[in-house]
Amino acid sequence: MLNEVIENTKLSDIVVRMVIEAPDIADTRKAGQFVVLMIDEKGERIPLTIVDSDAAKGTLAIIYQVVGKTTAQLAEMRAGDRLFSVLGPLGRPTEIENFGTVVSVGGGVGIGVAYPITKALKEAGNKVISIIGARTKNILILEEELKAISDKLLISTDDGSYGHHGFVSDILQNLITSGEKIDRVYAIGPVPMMRVVCEVTRPHKIPTVVSLNPIMVDATGMCGACRVAVGGKTQFACVDGPEFDGHEVDFALLATRLRMYCDQEKQATESTRCTCHER
Amino acid sequence: MSDNPTKKKEKIPRQPMAEQEPQVRRHNFDEVPFGYSDEVALLEAQRCLQCKKPPCMAGCPVEIDIPGFIKLVAEGDFIGGARKIKETNTLPAICGRVCPQETQCEVVCVLAKKGDPVAIGRLERFVADYERKSGDIQIPKKASSSGKRAAVVGSGPAGLTIAGDLVKMGHAVTIFEGLHKPGGVLIYGIPEFRLPKAIVDAEVDYLKKLGAEIRPNVVIGRGKTVDDLLAEGYDAVFLGVGAGAPVFMNIPGENLSGIYSANEYLTRSNLMKAYRFPDYDTPIALGKNVAVLGGGNVAMDSVRTALRLGADNAYIVYRRSKTELPARIEEIHHAEEEGVQFKFLTNPVEFIGGEKGWVTGMKCIQMELGEPDDSGRRRPIPIKGSEFVIDVDMVVVAIGTQANPVVPATTPGLETNRWGYIVADPQTGATSRKGVYAGGDIVRGSATVIEAMGDAKRAARAINEYLKTL
Ligand SMILES: Cc1cc2nc3c(=O)[nH]c(=O)nc-3n(C[C@H](O)[C@H](O)[C@H](O)COP(=O)(O)OP(=O)(O)OC[C@H]3O[C@@H](n4cnc5c(N)ncnc54)[C@H](O)[C@@H]3O)c2cc1C
Ligand SMILES: Cc1cc2nc3c(=O)[nH]c(=O)nc-3n(C[C@H](O)[C@H](O)[C@H](O)COP(=O)(O)OP(=O)(O)OC[C@H]3O[C@@H](n4cnc5c(N)ncnc54)[C@H](O)[C@@H]3O)c2cc1C
Ligand code: SF4
Ligand code: SF4
Ligand code: FES
């Protein structure tokens, strides 16, 4: 059945993987593209990256972190339930080529977003080094899956509970310092993480692609909610992106715009703590 | 005193439409006018002179038999009046509410020369509402099946109209709509207080009953393209994708939080029902001092929405003067009554941000009117040194829209003009691609509901002819 939830499995306390029946999208989607879904008629339209798809079964997979009302509701759905709507594939696909050696850096739920890109880069013949990180060990996702498609997998946790004690950007810095020749970097995760990774690669002039997650409404280029500044120019992330040259992105603007509805979202989730600032 | 019936008719004044009091309605989203009662409609209908060569009809892009339907109203046959209109206009409840009658049908009514024209729009709305409420909706006869299939891209007034016409001509029709709800601007742009969404929903239901298939959540050009549709076996494609991309001022500070495009502001409020947050999940900023930039219908809809969402001060900031305001007269009048403040001859030059990157002010420059420009309107010229700051905590940019490039960019050989609008034959809607037709805002730039519908009617006839040749 169209938009039916096939499975909804917890990958960690806060991250969930959902498989949805959506044959048309599964058929045409490419790495780097996303869907917009609604849970019910009163729901918000939220964008989520397509992490994987199975054209034969007509299904696609998303991986989401529970941060507010919609993602919390999503986590409560069960196999057999139906989403009100799923729109996609949206956004420009990732430019996939054999660049040589690429490093794919994923932070938090961004690891899920990085996965399809990493996979496509590997399939295109690149030497792939993956660096993944999370706050703590038990919310780290996709370790096995990434190991299978990477030439090398490096891990960090903020609290040192697993892998390198520190940030993914430290590992990248060490890699560069150690003389590894890197042709391209992909950085996907929380805004501060992407910003720091770009600062690490900038002095070495390593092209760095980031995937931006501004607030969206229609995600078809109609509203401008998703506008970001890249190289001093306004771009719509839903149609011009979501991937951009990280060295040109105004991350401070992205961070402030992501906080626009902080107070109201608190009201919607009735939670005492808003997670906006962590993103 | 004479018994001349014309003289008697002339004594009846144009009938006003009862409406909510301004102080009440500025706090709710219910429709502003209540519509005519049966008695008032009868009276208004009697004002029509039943001209032999009615000039009003030439003013209507879909050629409604205006004296014909008004005669039926005057005779008390309201359902008959509605059916008369529906012979040429499938969406009368909508047109009666949103057509700029003062520049279309009513401006050319003979009565307008000496006084007030017949209230054609209000009568049209009245009969359409009467028919809908009676539940006595007729599903018209369809021609026998042609075995041909047409794809309609976009479900705004153009798409809805052509789908209805093509189905009646016997073709199988599928509408593809990018959003989750059909209706185009009628659903996401025009607010509830001006066009209740139940009316649009009823029209969409009617179309489904007629047999058109509607597939929401499909953006043609992403995933499926126009060529994919043709390859899948659609014999013709109509593009009614509107001119939905927002235009910004391109001045410093425009990406501050609290600054919206009108498309975003209205989509949040109307399509996503953010005015009912948190019952609905989508949030919207609640500005206390709101500036809306622009002077068209879109600007009026935005500023009146801001008032209803609790603004203390809601401004229209427009760079020309009152006489140049492009909005429908009724909307300007309603906005004034509700307490909207107009700042004419004023143009923003910079947005000022405060704490947390939220807009706190807008630097403007005073303008004066110079010589007429290409559009025939006097060109606004900035007055040097006249800058001043307006305190605002929210801004809505409603200075226009432009073509969304998704369809043209993914349809090789589809000719567009230098603004990105699709080039189409005004008589047939034919584009540079065989079997592909277009109409409405994506061809004209931002126009009107009834013009989009007129395009769709002409394109339906052309597509019907084309399909016969296959
Ligand atoms: C192109 C794109 C791809 C994304 N892919 C993923 C993904 O694969 N996995 C994942 O976990 N998250 C992803 N996100 C972010 C995800 O959309 C938000 O976490 C989600 O919308 C939050 O909704 P909520 O109602 O649960 O939280 P809310 O309480 O509504 O919001 C919490 C925070 O989420 C952000 N947010 C809210 N609404 C939106 C919106 N409509 N669009 C974007 N951000 C919003 C804001 O920062 C907000 O402060 C992606 C975002 C974009 C733009
Ligand atoms: C706020 C506002 C107020 C207005 N007020 C009035 C008024 O009072 N009177 C009046 O006459 N006119 C008014 N107008 C103008 C009028 O609404 C438009 O001229 C009219 O809607 C154009 O009709 P359309 O069918 O060409 O396009 P639209 O109504 O814009 O519909 C286009 C549809 O196509 C969909 N679409 C776009 N791209 C794709 C794609 N690639 N694939 C699938 N679907 C797609 C869109 O989502 C949309 O639903 C107003 C406009 C606005 C924005
Ligand atoms: S459809 Fe519009 S232009 Fe035509 S008669 Fe009705 S109100 Fe007038
Ligand atoms: S021009 Fe005016 S008076 Fe004459 S038929 Fe039309 S509506 Fe009636
Ligand atoms: S989300 Fe509306 S334009 Fe990008």
Side-chain angles (χ1 to χ4, degrees):
Chain A
M1 213 177 13
L2 193 64
N3 301 345
E4 183 178 329
V5 176
I6 305 297
E7 57 176 86
N8 201 21
T9 327
K10 272 195 167 186
L11 299 184
S12 77
D13 286 350
I14 49 165
V15 179
V16 187
R17 180 174 191 273
M18 180 182 268
V19 177
I20 307 164
E21 182 157 339
D24 283 357
I25 306 174
D27 243 9
T28 52
R29 74 96 187 179
K30 294 197 175 75
Q33 290 187 300
F34 62 97
V35 290
V36 162
L37 60 82
M38 283 173 82
I39 291 180
D40 55 43
E41 217 169 347
K42 293 185 173 183
E44 219 176 335
R45 294 167 64 96
I46 69 160
L48 294 166
T49 305
I50 306 169
V51 171
D52 215 340
S53 63
D54 185 329
K57 289 192 189 142
T59 60
L60 52 86
I62 52 175
I63 292 181
Y64 57 93
Q65 180 170 349
V66 175
V67 294
K69 180 168 180 193
T70 312
T71 43
Q73 279 180 306
L74 209 54
E76 275 163 24
M77 295 185 80
R78 290 161 189 237
D81 289 349
R82 270 183 90 179
L83 294 161
F84 175 70
S85 72
V86 182
L87 163 66
L90 298 165
R92 282 179 198 263
T94 311
E95 275 174 55
I96 301 289
E97 277 178 41
N98 189 347
F99 298 104
T101 301
V102 295
V103 176
S104 154
V105 188
V109 73
I111 301 169
V113 182
Y115 175 77
I117 299 170
T118 311
K119 193 171 155 194
L121 286 166
K122 179 70 196 171
E123 282 163 6
N126 289 282
K127 174 181 174 193
V128 173
I129 302 172
S130 291
I131 306 174
I132 58 173
R135 254 190 356 259
T136 185
K137 179 176 188 223
N138 61 15
I139 57 170
L140 190 77
I141 57 168
L142 299 186
E143 182 184 346
E144 288 311 313
E145 288 82 348
L146 276 160
K147 196 177 265 167
I149 56 165
S150 308
D151 294 276
K152 202 193 290 181
L153 175 70
L154 302 162
I155 296 169
S156 75
T157 48
D158 298 5
D159 64 357
S161 53
Y162 192 49
H164 168 80
H165 185 169
F167 302 113
V168 283
S169 50
D170 307 339
I171 301 184
L172 178 64
Q173 182 68 67
N174 294 342
L175 214 54
I176 296 172
T177 317
S178 76
E180 179 81 50
K181 190 189 146 300
I182 301 168
D183 297 296
R184 215 173 165 89
V185 170
Y186 290 81
I188 302 159
V191 176
M193 178 216 110
M194 292 192 284
R195 182 179 2 207
V196 174
V197 168
C198 290
E199 287 323 310
V200 168
T201 57
R202 192 190 303 273
H204 307 280
K205 301 205 169 58
I206 305 171
T208 303
V209 178
V210 293
S211 179
L212 304 186
N213 61 340
I215 292 174
M216 294 185 175
V217 183
D218 64 304
T220 67
M222 183 266 269
C223 77
C226 62
R227 56 201 197 274
V228 290
V230 183
K233 260 183 64 191
T234 295
Q235 303 261 292
F236 290 0
C238 67
V239 285
D240 302 323
E243 289 170 18
F244 293 100
D245 175 354
H247 294 146
E248 298 287 334
V249 168
D250 182 344
F251 287 108
L253 177 74
L254 176 64
T256 28
R257 286 187 64 85
L258 275 168
R259 285 195 289 270
M260 201 162 150
Y261 299 101
C262 231
D263 296 343
Q264 281 158 302
E265 271 144 12
K266 245 188 274 177
Q267 194 187 340
T269 45
E270 290 162 359
S271 76
T272 44
R273 199 178 60 98
C274 174
T275 55
C276 300
H277 295 283
E278 293 167 13
R279 317 186 83 238
Chain B
M1 289 283 116
S2 81
D3 286 301
N4 181 334
T6 306
K7 277 276 170 315
K8 215 159 87 197
K9 284 176 181 234
E10 279 176 5
K11 284 217 187 95
I12 308 172
R14 179 175 160 111
Q15 296 298 302
M17 194 160 46
E19 55 191 32
Q20 286 193 64
E21 289 299 323
Q23 283 318 312
V24 175
R25 70 186 194 233
R26 68 169 276 183
H27 300 292
N28 69 50
F29 276 83
D30 299 339
E31 194 178 11
V32 170
F34 297 121
Y36 277 167
S37 63
D38 297 8
E39 297 72 33
V40 174
L42 280 168
L43 210 57
E44 181 65 30
Q46 283 165 34
R47 296 181 62 228
C48 172
L49 304 179
Q50 293 294 318
C51 307
K52 287 271 160 351
K53 283 186 192 152
C56 52
M57 281 181 69
C60 173
V62 296
E63 296 158 21
I64 291 181
D65 178 357
I66 295 171
F69 101 78
I70 295 183
K71 183 159 183 277
L72 290 164
V73 179
E75 290 165 358
D77 182 3
F78 304 144
I79 300 253
R83 294 201 176 134
K84 184 86 205 144
I85 297 177
K86 281 199 169 166
E87 287 170 12
T88 56
N89 179 352
T90 37
L91 309 173
I94 294 166
C95 295
R97 286 174 167 81
V98 305
C99 269
Q101 289 96 8
E102 68 264 21
T103 57
Q104 295 280 344
C105 51
E106 294 183 13
V107 68
V108 285
C109 168
V110 290
L111 293 187
K113 289 199 192 96
K114 282 188 271 173
D116 292 325
V118 176
I120 302 169
R122 292 172 183 176
L123 287 172
E124 183 172 344
R125 165 197 165 127
F126 167 76
V127 291
D129 288 355
Y130 190 93
E131 188 198 29
R132 194 178 62 256
K133 283 181 202 144
S134 76
D136 189 5
I137 309 266
Q138 238 178 12
I139 303 287
K141 275 219 176 66
K142 290 195 274 184
S144 58
S145 169
S146 68
K148 299 288 190 301
R149 296 166 70 201
V152 172
V153 185
S155 64
L160 295 178
T161 302
I162 196 163
D165 283 9
L166 289 174
V167 167
K168 281 187 257 174
M169 290 166 178
H171 311 300
V173 177
T174 307
I175 302 181
F176 296 92
E177 167 56 51
L179 295 170
H180 60 273
K181 210 166 156 43
V185 169
L186 307 175
I187 281 288
Y188 78 71
I190 303 182
E192 181 78 15
F193 55 81
R194 207 148 72 74
L195 177 63
K197 299 309 141 211
I199 292 175
V200 185
D201 294 344
E203 295 303 347
V204 170
D205 277 347
Y206 170 78
L207 206 57
K208 286 186 192 155
K209 283 201 192 107
L210 260 181
E213 185 198 357
I214 303 186
R215 297 199 38 204
N217 297 304
V218 185
V219 176
I220 298 300
R222 290 263 182 252
K224 250 188 233 300
T225 62
V226 169
D227 284 293
D228 291 335
L229 294 176
L230 291 167
E232 274 174 27
Y234 288 98
D235 301 293
V237 177
F238 176 81
L239 302 171
V241 292
V247 175
F248 286 96
M249 300 280 299
N250 286 319
I251 58 176
E254 201 153 19
N255 292 334
L256 288 165
S257 295
I259 302 182
Y260 285 112
S261 75
N263 272 0
E264 181 185 353
Y265 189 60
L266 293 170
T267 299
R268 281 182 181 272
S269 183
N270 301 324
L271 177 72
M272 304 312 295
K273 302 244 183 300
Y275 71 89
R276 290 169 65 183
F277 181 88
D279 183 22
Y280 282 73
D281 292 344
T282 303
I284 194 164
L286 304 175
K288 286 294 163 201
N289 298 297
V290 180
V292 175
L293 317 182
N297 288 323
V298 184
M300 298 305 148
D301 285 345
S302 303
V303 80
R304 295 173 69 201
T305 296
L307 271 183
R308 283 160 174 75
L309 287 173
D312 297 326
N313 293 295
Y315 309 105
I316 283 283
V317 176
Y318 184 53
R319 63 197 183 121
R320 301 179 201 249
S321 70
K322 183 169 181 182
T323 38
E324 284 86 11
L325 279 175
R328 293 178 72 219
I329 289 173
E330 190 184 10
E331 309 320 327
I332 300 167
H333 173 68
H334 278 153
E336 280 173 334
E337 284 184 339
E338 287 165 13
V340 169
Q341 300 164 55
F342 288 80
K343 294 190 179 288
F344 293 116
L345 294 166
T346 304
N347 206 26
V349 290
E350 185 185 341
F351 300 104
I352 303 160
E355 210 197 331
K356 294 187 187 165
W358 202 276
V359 65
T360 55
M362 187 168 76
K363 193 179 191 185
C364 297
I365 190 161
Q366 209 67 57
M367 312 291 276
E368 61 189 349
L369 291 180
E371 294 302 308
D373 61 14
D374 299 343
S375 71
R377 295 180 302 177
R378 293 176 63 193
R379 189 195 303 272
I381 306 167
I383 302 174
K384 268 216 181 71
S386 66
E387 287 90 347
F388 64 102
V389 173
I390 307 179
D391 287 341
V392 293
D393 58 0
M394 204 186 101
V395 176
V396 180
V397 184
I399 56 169
T401 52
Q402 60 194 11
N404 185 322
V406 172
V407 168
T410 54
T411 313
L414 185 70
E415 195 190 331
T416 53
N417 67 18
R418 64 188 166 115
W419 297 282
Y421 295 114
I422 297 174
V423 177
D425 183 319
Q427 289 316 312
T428 63
T431 68
S432 56
R433 284 285 308 268
K434 188 165 178 277
V436 180
Y437 296 74
D441 281 5
I442 189 58
V443 171
R444 294 171 175 267
S446 305
T448 61
V449 169
I450 196 65
E451 285 170 307
M453 292 176 62
D455 288 352
K457 290 208 95 64
R458 285 185 291 276
R461 285 199 279 263
I463 290 176
N464 190 38
E465 290 308 313
Y466 171 72
L467 292 178
K468 282 184 199 160
T469 68
L470 295 182

